[in-house]
Amino acid sequence: MSRLAEALARFERVGLCILPTPFEPMKRLTAHLADAGSCPRLWVKREDCTGPGFGGNKLRKLDYVLHAALSQGVDTLVSGGVVQSNSQRQVAAAAAKLGLDCHLAVYHGRVAPPSPDYELSGNALLNRLFGATLHDVPWDGDRNGAIRALAETLRARGRKPYVVPYGVSDPLGAVAYASTIVEIAAQCAAQGIVPKAIVHCTGSAGTQAGLVVGARLALPGTRIVGIDIDAEPERVRRDVVSYGRAAAELLGQPFDEADVEVVAGHAGPAYGVPHAATVEAIRLAARLEALVLDPVYSGKGLAGLLALIRAERWSADDDVVFIHTGGAPALFAYRHLFDPH
Ligand SMILES: Cc1ncc(COP(=O)(O)O)c(C=O)c1O
């Protein structure tokens, strides 16, 4: 067992996720990009396939975080996010699977609804389908304030709520996400490769924090490259450092701030607003690899990776892994971008 796997074995999981998630070459996307210039061999880690309720990166975090919750005897999960949040959809799915009630603070005002579909389809529809109770609240920039207030109200009514923070990003969520590196290290070893980089989109920062901590131990030659999708690269970087440091402490491992790279410039005009590069990335992934990306997270992540490839950051002999962090249901809320009829 690797040192990272040993360190992680001290933390228990509920067993929500189907692991390991698949790891595949993206041969057609690689060939397409190589036609226009030098392109590393591209691989994809399918974190959109983690399991219940259409999967995604948050379920891997919830697998560990909810073990801690259940051991406290809670009966209700409380979380929140924007109308099309993948995070709250995964919390709602996990609650359904575990037989817990779910209350969600749905933030209005961070993203201007781009179409009538936005409020009704995709994740918004799934939250209701999974049986969550939705509470509409105005966005005031505080990601966790309304979630905590909702939990207090439920506690006063005699419930035993557990607060799942915005994006499931906290030190334990970051510890959980380090487990992705155990899988990627084994899957790369089976292919006989050592990736130069792992590229993914980063927002509430727990995903990147876990990857950075894990890679330091199990893939030291691999750079973790987070593509900022929040249009707040400095805030994202600070949060990756903070969760990463705390997660490394929980794992009894060292942490180096120099390992944290957050790339700015690919978030489009604002959070939740896709630009032409996002649409191009989503179309390419669909037509060449049958991958369904979304316009808020994974589409912008791939757009960032395409820009780095075109800027010749890597050579044709390198291997680069893209993490598909999920989010496909949100695509249906942005149908107008792809199907104007
Ligand atoms: C599909 C998808 N990818 C990536 C992320 C970013 O992960 P993190 O918030 O841990 O940075 C999210 C977060 O909501 C997401 O929904």
Side-chain angles (χ1 to χ4, degrees):
M1 200 191 283
S2 71
R3 267 171 64 212
L4 176 58
E6 252 172 56
L8 282 166
R10 289 189 290 109
F11 297 84
E12 289 185 77
R13 292 175 42 207
V14 179
L16 272 177
C17 292
I18 303 163
L19 301 177
T21 55
F23 182 80
E24 303 164 356
M26 294 200 284
K27 288 190 182 156
R28 277 174 41 77
L29 180 60
T30 304
H32 174 82
L33 296 170
D35 277 347
S38 164
C39 182
R41 285 180 298 266
L42 297 173
W43 303 79
V44 60
K45 174 68 171 163
R46 299 289 306 273
E47 290 287 283
D48 56 321
C49 300
T50 48
F54 283 109
N57 59 336
K58 310 298 180 178
L59 278 168
R60 188 185 283 276
K61 300 183 191 180
L62 286 165
D63 215 342
Y64 288 72
V65 168
L66 295 185
H67 189 277
L70 290 175
S71 63
Q72 294 168 24
V74 303
D75 57 21
T76 305
L77 300 183
V78 185
S79 195
V82 298
V83 173
Q84 284 297 331
S85 160
N86 301 298
S87 180
Q88 59 182 1
R89 181 253 307 161
Q90 288 166 84
V91 173
K97 188 90 181 152
L98 297 172
L100 299 169
D101 279 350
C102 181
H103 286 255
L104 299 171
V106 181
Y107 294 119
H108 293 265
R110 188 177 182 202
V111 178
S115 74
D117 292 332
Y118 187 80
E119 302 278 345
L120 299 172
S121 72
N123 290 311
L125 169 68
L126 291 172
N127 289 337
R128 294 185 176 91
L129 193 64
F130 295 144
T133 305
L134 308 185
H135 304 260
D136 292 327
V137 295
W139 170 252
D140 66 1
D142 177 352
R143 290 159 186 253
N144 286 303
I147 301 174
R148 280 196 288 264
L150 180 55
E152 279 317 309
T153 306
L154 292 164
R155 192 170 289 116
R157 287 190 207 144
R159 307 308 309 253
K160 292 184 185 145
Y162 185 88
V163 170
V164 178
Y166 193 97
V168 203
S169 280
D170 64 8
L172 184 55
V175 165
Y177 216 76
S179 67
T180 315
I181 293 289
V182 176
E183 294 178 18
I184 295 176
Q187 289 164 323
C188 286
Q191 297 289 342
I193 61 167
V194 178
K196 269 277 175 336
I198 295 173
V199 181
H200 68 101
C201 58
T202 183
S204 70
T207 297
Q208 187 168 3
L211 293 170
V212 165
V213 171
R216 186 165 186 84
L217 268 180
L219 281 174
T222 302
R223 183 83 173 156
I224 304 299
V225 180
I227 307 292
D228 161 52
I229 52 74
D230 265 344
E232 296 175 344
E234 287 311 315
R235 196 274 306 152
V236 173
R237 188 171 192 287
R238 272 197 308 278
D239 286 351
V240 174
V241 169
S242 156
Y243 295 134
R245 204 183 290 290
E249 209 165 293
L250 285 172
L251 286 164
Q253 301 300 328
F255 179 78
D256 187 347
E257 233 182 272
D259 293 340
V260 177
E261 177 176 352
V262 175
V263 177
H266 305 290
Y271 171 78
V273 183
H275 57 338
T278 317
V279 174
E280 183 213 7
I282 292 172
R283 282 195 201 282
L284 284 178
R287 291 182 186 191
L288 298 173
E289 298 294 343
L291 293 172
V292 185
L293 304 184
D294 78 273
V296 183
Y297 290 98
S298 50
K300 288 185 177 177
L302 184 62
L305 172 57
L306 296 180
L308 294 175
I309 290 169
R310 287 166 180 158
E312 299 187 357
R313 174 156 173 170
W314 301 286
S315 76
D317 291 335
D318 292 332
D319 290 280
V320 170
V321 178
F322 174 66
I323 303 190
H324 183 345
T325 43
L331 185 64
F332 300 96
Y334 290 81
R335 182 173 62 91
H336 59 286
L337 292 176
F338 304 93
D339 171 18
H341 304 295

Coordinates of all heavy atoms in Angstrom, one line a residue, residues 232-267:
E232 N -12.2 34.4 -9.5 CA -11.6 35.0 -8.3 C -10.3 34.2 -8.0 O -10.2 33.5 -6.9 CB -12.6 34.7 -7.1 CG -13.9 35.4 -7.2 CD -14.9 35.0 -6.1 OE1 -14.6 33.9 -5.4 OE2 -15.9 35.7 -5.9
P233 N -9.3 34.2 -8.9 CA -8.2 33.3 -8.7 C -7.4 33.5 -7.4 O -6.9 32.5 -6.8 CB -7.3 33.7 -9.9 CG -7.8 35.0 -10.5 CD -9.2 35.1 -10.1
E234 N -7.4 34.7 -6.9 CA -6.6 35.0 -5.7 C -7.3 34.3 -4.5 O -6.7 33.7 -3.6 CB -6.4 36.5 -5.4 CG -5.4 37.1 -6.3 CD -4.1 36.3 -6.4 OE1 -3.6 35.9 -5.3 OE2 -3.6 36.1 -7.5
R235 N -8.7 34.5 -4.4 CA -9.5 33.9 -3.4 C -9.4 32.4 -3.4 O -9.2 31.7 -2.4 CB -10.9 34.4 -3.5 CG -11.8 34.1 -2.3 CD -12.5 32.8 -2.2 NE -13.2 32.4 -3.4 CZ -13.4 31.2 -3.8 NH1 -12.9 30.1 -3.2 NH2 -14.0 30.9 -5.0
V236 N -9.5 31.8 -4.7 CA -9.4 30.4 -4.8 C -8.0 29.9 -4.3 O -7.9 28.9 -3.6 CB -9.6 30.0 -6.3 CG1 -9.3 28.5 -6.5 CG2 -11.0 30.3 -6.8
R237 N -7.0 30.6 -4.7 CA -5.6 30.2 -4.3 C -5.5 30.1 -2.8 O -5.0 29.2 -2.2 CB -4.6 31.1 -4.9 CG -3.2 30.6 -4.7 CD -2.1 31.3 -5.5 NE -0.9 30.5 -5.3 CZ -0.2 30.4 -4.2 NH1 -0.5 31.0 -3.2 NH2 0.9 29.6 -4.2
R238 N -6.0 31.2 -2.1 CA -5.9 31.3 -0.7 C -6.7 30.1 0.0 O -6.2 29.5 0.9 CB -6.6 32.6 -0.2 CG -5.7 33.8 -0.1 CD -6.2 34.9 0.7 NE -7.6 35.3 0.4 CZ -7.9 36.1 -0.6 NH1 -7.0 36.7 -1.4 NH2 -9.2 36.4 -0.8
D239 N -7.8 29.8 -0.6 CA -8.6 28.7 0.0 C -7.9 27.3 -0.3 O -8.0 26.4 0.6 CB -10.0 28.7 -0.6 CG -10.9 29.8 0.0 OD1 -10.4 30.5 0.9 OD2 -12.0 30.0 -0.5
V240 N -7.3 27.2 -1.4 CA -6.6 25.9 -1.7 C -5.5 25.7 -0.7 O -5.3 24.7 -0.1 CB -6.0 25.8 -3.1 CG1 -5.2 24.5 -3.3 CG2 -7.1 25.8 -4.2
V241 N -4.8 26.8 -0.4 CA -3.7 26.8 0.6 C -4.2 26.4 2.0 O -3.7 25.6 2.7 CB -2.9 28.1 0.6 CG1 -1.9 28.2 1.8 CG2 -2.1 28.3 -0.7
S242 N -5.3 27.1 2.3 CA -5.8 26.9 3.7 C -6.4 25.5 3.9 O -6.0 24.8 4.8 CB -6.9 28.0 3.9 OG -7.8 27.6 4.8
Y243 N -7.2 25.0 2.9 CA -7.7 23.6 3.1 C -6.6 22.6 2.9 O -6.6 21.5 3.5 CB -8.8 23.3 2.0 CG -10.1 24.1 2.2 CD1 -10.7 24.8 1.1 CD2 -10.7 24.3 3.5 CE1 -11.8 25.5 1.3 CE2 -11.8 25.1 3.6 CZ -12.4 25.7 2.5 OH -13.5 26.4 2.7
G244 N -5.7 22.9 2.0 CA -4.6 22.0 1.8 C -3.7 21.8 3.0 O -3.3 20.7 3.4
R245 N -3.4 22.9 3.6 CA -2.6 22.9 4.8 C -3.3 22.1 5.9 O -2.7 21.2 6.6 CB -2.3 24.3 5.3 CG -1.1 24.5 6.2 CD -0.9 25.9 6.7 NE -0.6 26.9 5.7 CZ 0.5 27.0 5.0 NH1 1.5 26.1 5.3 NH2 0.8 27.9 4.1
A246 N -4.6 22.3 6.1 CA -5.4 21.6 7.2 C -5.5 20.1 6.8 O -5.4 19.3 7.7 CB -6.7 22.3 7.3
A247 N -5.7 19.8 5.5 CA -5.8 18.4 5.2 C -4.5 17.7 5.4 O -4.5 16.5 5.8 CB -6.3 18.3 3.7
A248 N -3.4 18.3 5.0 CA -2.1 17.7 5.2 C -1.8 17.4 6.7 O -1.3 16.4 7.0 CB -1.0 18.6 4.6
E249 N -2.3 18.3 7.5 CA -2.1 18.1 8.9 C -2.9 16.9 9.4 O -2.4 16.1 10.2 CB -2.6 19.4 9.7 CG -1.9 19.6 11.0 CD -2.1 21.1 11.5 OE1 -1.7 22.0 10.8 OE2 -2.9 21.2 12.5
L250 N -4.1 16.8 8.9 CA -5.0 15.7 9.3 C -4.3 14.4 8.9 O -4.5 13.3 9.5 CB -6.4 15.8 8.7 CG -7.3 16.8 9.3 CD1 -8.6 16.9 8.4 CD2 -7.7 16.4 10.7
L251 N -3.6 14.4 7.7 CA -3.0 13.2 7.2 C -1.6 13.0 7.7 O -1.0 12.0 7.4 CB -2.9 13.3 5.6 CG -4.3 13.1 4.9 CD1 -4.2 13.6 3.5 CD2 -4.7 11.6 4.9
G252 N -1.1 14.0 8.5 CA 0.2 13.9 9.1 C 1.3 14.0 8.0 O 2.3 13.3 8.1
Q253 N 1.0 14.8 7.0 CA 2.0 15.0 5.9 C 2.4 16.4 5.7 O 1.7 17.3 6.2 CB 1.2 14.5 4.6 CG 0.7 13.1 4.6 CD 1.9 12.1 4.9 OE1 3.0 12.3 4.4 NE2 1.6 11.0 5.6
P254 N 3.5 16.6 5.0 CA 3.9 18.0 4.8 C 3.1 18.7 3.7 O 2.4 18.0 2.9 CB 5.4 17.8 4.3 CG 5.4 16.5 3.7 CD 4.4 15.6 4.4
F255 N 3.1 20.0 3.7 CA 2.4 20.8 2.7 C 3.3 21.9 2.2 O 4.0 22.6 3.1 CB 1.1 21.4 3.3 CG 0.3 22.2 2.3 CD1 -0.5 21.6 1.4 CD2 0.4 23.6 2.3 CE1 -1.2 22.4 0.5 CE2 -0.3 24.4 1.4 CZ -1.1 23.7 0.5
D256 N 3.3 22.2 0.9 CA 4.2 23.3 0.4 C 3.3 24.2 -0.5 O 2.8 23.7 -1.5 CB 5.3 22.6 -0.4 CG 6.3 23.7 -0.9 OD1 6.0 24.9 -0.8 OD2 7.4 23.3 -1.3
E257 N 3.2 25.4 -0.1 CA 2.4 26.4 -0.9 C 2.8 26.5 -2.3 O 2.0 26.8 -3.2 CB 2.6 27.8 -0.2 CG 1.3 28.4 0.1 CD 1.4 29.8 0.7 OE1 1.6 29.8 2.0 OE2 1.4 30.7 0.0
A258 N 4.1 26.2 -2.6 CA 4.6 26.3 -4.0 C 4.0 25.3 -4.9 O 4.0 25.4 -6.1 CB 6.1 26.1 -4.0
D259 N 3.3 24.3 -4.3 CA 2.6 23.2 -5.1 C 1.3 23.7 -5.6 O 0.6 23.0 -6.4 CB 2.4 22.0 -4.3 CG 3.7 21.2 -3.9 OD1 4.7 21.5 -4.6 OD2 3.6 20.4 -3.0
V260 N 0.8 24.9 -5.2 CA -0.5 25.4 -5.5 C -0.4 26.3 -6.8 O 0.1 27.4 -6.7 CB -1.2 26.1 -4.4 CG1 -2.6 26.6 -4.8 CG2 -1.3 25.2 -3.2
E261 N -1.0 25.9 -7.9 CA -1.1 26.7 -9.1 C -2.5 26.9 -9.5 O -3.2 25.9 -9.9 CB -0.3 26.0 -10.2 CG -0.4 26.8 -11.5 CD 0.5 26.3 -12.6 OE1 1.3 25.3 -12.4 OE2 0.3 26.8 -13.8
V262 N -3.0 28.1 -9.5 CA -4.4 28.4 -9.9 C -4.2 29.3 -11.1 O -3.6 30.4 -11.1 CB -5.2 29.1 -8.8 CG1 -6.5 29.5 -9.3 CG2 -5.3 28.2 -7.6
V263 N -4.7 28.8 -12.3 CA -4.6 29.6 -13.5 C -5.8 30.5 -13.8 O -6.9 30.0 -13.7 CB -4.4 28.6 -14.7 CG1 -4.3 29.3 -16.0 CG2 -3.2 27.7 -14.5
A264 N -5.5 31.7 -13.9 CA -6.6 32.7 -14.2 C -6.9 32.9 -15.7 O -6.1 32.5 -16.5 CB -6.2 34.1 -13.6
G265 N -8.0 33.5 -16.0 CA -8.2 33.9 -17.4 C -9.1 33.0 -18.2 O -9.3 33.2 -19.4
H266 N -9.7 32.0 -17.6 CA -10.6 31.1 -18.3 C -12.0 30.9 -17.7 O -12.7 30.0 -18.1 CB -9.9 29.7 -18.4 CG -8.5 29.8 -19.0 ND1 -8.3 30.1 -20.4 CD2 -7.3 29.7 -18.4 CE1 -7.0 30.1 -20.6 NE2 -6.4 29.9 -19.4
A267 N -12.3 31.9 -16.9 CA -13.6 31.8 -16.2 C -14.7 32.5 -17.0 O -15.9 32.5 -16.6 CB -13.5 32.5 -14.8

